[in-house]
Amino acid sequence: MSKQNRFSPLWLALSAVVGIFIGTFYANHFGGTRLSIINSGSNKLNNLLHIVDDQYVDTVDVGDLVEKAMPTILSELDPHSVYISAKDKQMAEDDLRGSFSGVGIEFTIRKDTLRVQRVIKNGPSERAGVLEGDKIVEVDDSAFVGKDLTNEEAMHRLKGPKDTKVKLGIVRRGDKELRHIVVTRGEIPMHSVNAVYMLDDETGYIRIKNFGENTFPELLIGLAQLSQEGFKNLTIDLRGNTGGYLGSAVQIANEFLPKNRLIVYTEGRRSQRQEYRSDGRGSYQSIPLVVLIDEGSASASEILAGAIQDNDRGTIIGRRSFGKGLVQQPIEFNDGSMMRLTIARYYSPSGRCIQKPYTSGQDKDYEEDLLLRYQHGEFFSQDSIKHTGPAYQTVGGRVVYGGGGITPDIFVGEDTTNYTSYYKEATMSGLVFQYAYEYTDDKRAELANYEEVGELEKYLKRQNIVDKFASYADKQGLKRRNLMIQKSHKLLERFLISRIIYNVLDEQQWIEYLNADDPAIIETLKLFKAGEAFPMKTEDEEDARKVAKAFDYRATHRQFRLVAVG
């Protein structure tokens, strides 16, 4: 083999690195995300790797060096430019697709063993006979346990092309011998909208967990369902929603805005300003609207919340959002790997840059931003929010601030009144999750009798579950502290019951349980009853200003009251 041929794979990988440094790349299919990068000739990085490959004392896998170098190089640019290997690419894309091909289970890893937490109804595993509580210890006759077992490795082994088969070795409660089940992989739907129901006689609720390919049609189905139930107000819950596709957020915003309202725009050094505007075809342009956000709401969530807020279309309730406003262009390589390169920034309609400040190459500081917010009190007090950007104005003239994230119109803080060091350690250590799973696993037959969240909650409250947890945790090394347990009893009970409900019932019923005493939901209902969600009923901006001014007065005189999370 000639030396030129020997280095062909290397040049392909290196071309990506060279392109990042010197910007000499040209797109074949810019919209189709495949980029052909032209080698610019002699350069320091190419020469370095050439010399290492040619003269280093030991044999070197230069391709592996490049794979390891790519993430490091991109991390020097910004926190969201990333390299994704061919191995991890499919997994990275699955969350936003409408479906993926796999065996159809939700699992958890406990004590180095994969345990089936939920079997998806009518999915491949259910049809093959896999049960909740089963332990998967073999995959295709190879051991599948140990300290090296990770969520990523499990998903790689269990997912696969549709109609392919995978042989699972299962340990089932009550069985003395290993059971083998062959599962034929199939398409597993991935839903973005995971809860649709009525909060009261007039208020509909929709929770969106991410923005994927099917989010908008799922939202329309949810709205149609609520219409049949006679909803007059709407709450969209984006708490914990880390984002996804821009197009989905724009489609949803369009459904609620009058014609020709700016939704979001992007702009970068090499990317001209691109605006996204409403077309006036939305069916819900006048319904009173509240959007819930928190520090976990990012990217597309912030685009939607910012569009609603800056157009004075509804009320934003919760806590300041994450602050992720960088636009990534996916760029594929011939080996199946890809990078997501930041090419622009998102700006809300008022001109606010959604992206919070960052320092290139300082990923740790960026990742710890939420911890720092917590430490200086932002999760508990509106006054602790530090705006680093200038003031902007909404369509109606209300003042909003830049500097990263979307600040809510009504702040809902966390209440630490009943927090104790015991509660913190019990939750942060994962012991609550472990106990809830083991409790569920021990009592699956009995718990299966309860199909409604209210009935299951009543049953669990009679089981003295907090005391049982405390005894379990004590054996696991968390010393029993009776006074602290008594102080945090309500919090512990709520957390434990919520996890058992999640294990036994469907996701919507779990959300309904958590929402029942959620202060953000309580505040939302108060707002609707007071008629203060100010729906936009006109395209006239002068009228919009009057509506917004009235809201601004009400909000000011409420003093953005602190609402406790108990």
Side-chain angles (χ1 to χ4, degrees):
M1 179 183 290
S2 68
K3 197 165 188 174
Q4 182 179 359
N5 289 336
R6 183 161 63 93
F7 282 108
S8 292
L10 172 62
W11 303 141
L12 177 63
L14 272 176
S15 64
V17 184
V18 174
I20 295 168
F21 273 96
I22 64 178
T24 58
F25 49 80
Y26 302 91
N28 288 342
H29 317 289
F30 190 77
T33 73
R34 184 168 294 281
L35 215 61
S36 174
I37 302 175
I38 299 177
N39 194 327
S40 64
S42 177
N43 63 75
K44 199 170 186 179
L45 188 57
N46 265 331
N47 290 340
L48 169 66
L49 290 171
H50 182 97
I51 292 169
V52 167
D53 187 56
D54 191 54
Q55 299 184 30
Y56 186 66
V57 61
D58 296 319
T59 301
V60 176
D61 185 340
V62 179
D64 185 54
L65 282 180
V66 172
E67 286 289 308
K68 292 176 180 177
M70 295 278 275
T72 302
I73 292 169
L74 288 171
S75 70
E76 290 296 317
L77 302 177
D78 66 81
H80 298 291
S81 287
V82 295
Y83 173 74
I84 302 172
S85 68
K87 179 183 178 183
D88 295 329
K89 179 187 169 188
Q90 188 64 48
M91 190 185 305
E93 294 176 340
D94 277 345
D95 285 344
L96 300 180
R97 291 180 57 223
S99 65
F100 68 92
S101 179
V103 299
I105 62 169
E106 288 184 20
F107 62 83
T108 184
I109 296 175
R110 300 275 183 239
K111 299 179 181 178
D112 302 329
T113 303
L114 186 147
R115 304 171 186 228
V116 178
Q117 183 161 296
R118 179 175 293 157
V119 179
I120 295 176
K121 290 183 179 179
N122 301 317
S125 288
E126 184 182 66
R127 290 193 292 269
V130 177
L131 300 180
E132 292 165 350
D134 283 349
K135 300 175 184 178
I136 299 178
V137 297
E138 286 184 359
V139 174
D140 290 330
D141 295 320
S142 295
F144 198 55
V145 293
K147 294 182 179 179
D148 294 333
L149 178 61
T150 63
N151 286 337
E152 291 75 17
E153 180 62 23
M155 285 187 281
H156 279 303
R157 298 280 294 276
L158 296 176
K159 289 182 178 181
K162 183 180 179 181
D163 296 329
T164 58
K165 297 182 185 298
V166 58
K167 183 180 179 183
L168 306 179
I170 287 175
V171 174
R172 179 169 295 172
R173 181 182 293 273
D175 285 0
K176 295 181 179 180
E177 297 182 359
L178 187 66
R179 177 189 299 252
H180 289 95
I181 296 177
V182 176
V183 180
T184 302
R185 296 183 179 97
E187 286 297 309
I188 310 300
M190 296 284 286
H191 296 293
S192 299
V193 174
N194 58 346
V196 178
Y197 71 101
M198 296 290 288
L199 292 172
D200 61 18
D201 291 341
E202 296 187 339
T203 307
Y205 171 91
I206 295 178
R207 186 182 184 103
I208 305 174
K209 67 179 180 181
N210 62 19
F211 290 85
E213 289 180 356
N214 295 331
T215 305
F216 181 58
E218 287 180 27
L219 177 88
L220 293 181
I221 293 170
L223 289 169
Q225 175 185 324
L226 294 175
S227 292
Q228 292 180 341
E229 299 183 53
F231 82 122
K232 297 178 181 178
N233 310 309
L234 179 64
T235 303
I236 297 179
D237 194 343
L238 302 178
R239 291 175 295 178
N241 183 326
T242 56
Y245 292 139
L246 165 66
S248 293
V250 170
Q251 286 178 309
I252 292 171
N254 183 71
E255 196 66 18
F256 300 100
L257 291 173
K259 187 176 181 179
N260 203 33
R261 292 297 174 116
L262 183 59
I263 295 172
V264 66
Y265 69 90
T266 64
E267 195 169 18
R269 181 175 67 91
R270 292 289 184 90
S271 301
Q272 293 183 346
R273 174 168 169 148
Q274 182 175 359
E275 295 185 351
Y276 299 83
R277 290 184 173 271
S278 56
D279 61 16
R281 298 178 184 176
S283 300
Y284 299 90
Q285 296 180 35
S286 298
I287 192 167
L289 179 64
V290 163
V291 176
L292 304 180
I293 61 171
D294 65 8
E295 58 281 349
S297 307
S299 189
S301 293
E302 296 171 295
I303 289 170
L304 177 54
I308 297 302
Q309 186 177 56
D310 286 4
N311 282 290
D312 293 310
R313 174 58 187 86
T315 305
I316 311 301
I317 294 179
R319 295 189 290 275
R320 182 162 68 104
S321 62
F322 182 83
K324 194 276 187 185
L326 296 178
V327 184
Q328 281 73 52
Q329 170 67 39
I331 299 169
E332 296 183 11
F333 302 116
N334 288 332
D335 66 349
S337 63
M338 67 180 293
M339 67 174 171
R340 290 176 177 161
L341 183 68
T342 297
I343 61 169
R345 289 182 173 85
Y346 289 118
Y347 295 87
S348 74
S350 66
R352 292 180 286 172
C353 179
I354 295 172
Q355 178 63 40
K356 63 186 176 184
Y358 64 89
T359 302
S360 298
Q362 301 296 318
D363 283 355
K364 184 178 180 181
D365 292 343
Y366 187 80
E367 291 169 358
E368 291 181 352
D369 173 65
L370 294 184
L371 177 61
L372 294 174
R373 288 195 208 178
Y374 181 89
Q375 289 174 342
H376 72 64
E378 183 176 319
F379 290 4
F380 318 110
S381 170
Q382 169 86 10
D383 296 335
S384 296
I385 297 177
K386 295 181 179 179
H387 295 290
T388 59
Y392 296 84
Q393 287 191 335
T394 67
V395 166
R398 291 193 301 123
V399 175
V400 290
Y401 291 95
I406 302 297
T407 300
D409 301 309
I410 297 176
F411 179 80
V412 178
E414 288 193 21
D415 179 16
T416 58
T417 304
N418 295 317
Y419 274 42
T420 60
S421 58
Y422 181 91
Y423 175 78
K424 182 178 179 181
E425 189 171 352
T427 54
M428 297 291 285
S429 66
L431 283 172
V432 168
F433 290 90
Q434 291 177 30
Y435 177 74
Y437 179 84
E438 293 191 18
Y439 182 92
T440 303
D441 207 31
D442 287 340
K443 296 181 176 292
R444 286 193 184 276
E446 189 173 354
L447 295 173
N449 294 320
Y450 298 92
E451 298 181 355
E452 298 295 332
V453 64
E455 295 175 356
L456 180 55
E457 179 187 3
K458 289 177 182 178
Y459 166 78
L460 292 172
K461 283 190 172 182
R462 296 195 299 267
Q463 304 308 306
N464 199 18
I465 197 167
V466 174
D467 185 67
K468 292 176 181 177
F469 165 76
S471 299
Y472 169 87
D474 189 56
K475 295 177 182 177
Q476 304 300 317
L478 177 57
K479 189 175 180 179
R480 191 178 188 118
R481 303 285 188 187
N482 289 330
L483 290 178
M484 290 187 183
I485 292 170
Q486 183 178 359
K487 183 176 182 180
S488 297
H489 188 279
K490 185 177 179 181
L491 293 175
L492 286 164
E493 183 180 64
R494 184 175 187 268
F495 202 156
L496 286 161
I497 290 177
S498 75
R499 293 314 306 174
I500 296 169
I501 287 173
Y502 182 85
N503 293 338
V504 175
L505 303 178
D506 60 42
E507 194 170 13
Q508 171 155 316
Q509 292 192 74
W510 169 65
I511 291 170
E512 289 183 28
Y513 170 77
L514 292 176
N515 282 347
D517 60 353
D518 185 302
I521 297 293
I522 293 170
E523 182 69 8
T524 296
L525 295 175
K526 287 180 181 177
L527 194 74
F528 284 134
K529 288 179 181 178
E532 296 182 351
F534 68 99
M536 188 72 69
K537 295 183 178 179
T538 176
E539 295 182 17
D540 186 280
E541 291 201 5
E542 183 59 35
D543 286 351
R545 289 189 182 93
K546 292 177 183 178
V547 174
K549 186 176 181 181
F551 170 78
D552 201 30
Y553 174 83
R554 290 196 302 269
T556 300
H557 287 263
R558 277 200 302 265
Q559 297 180 340
F560 292 97
R561 57 186 176 275
L562 176 66
V563 184
V565 176

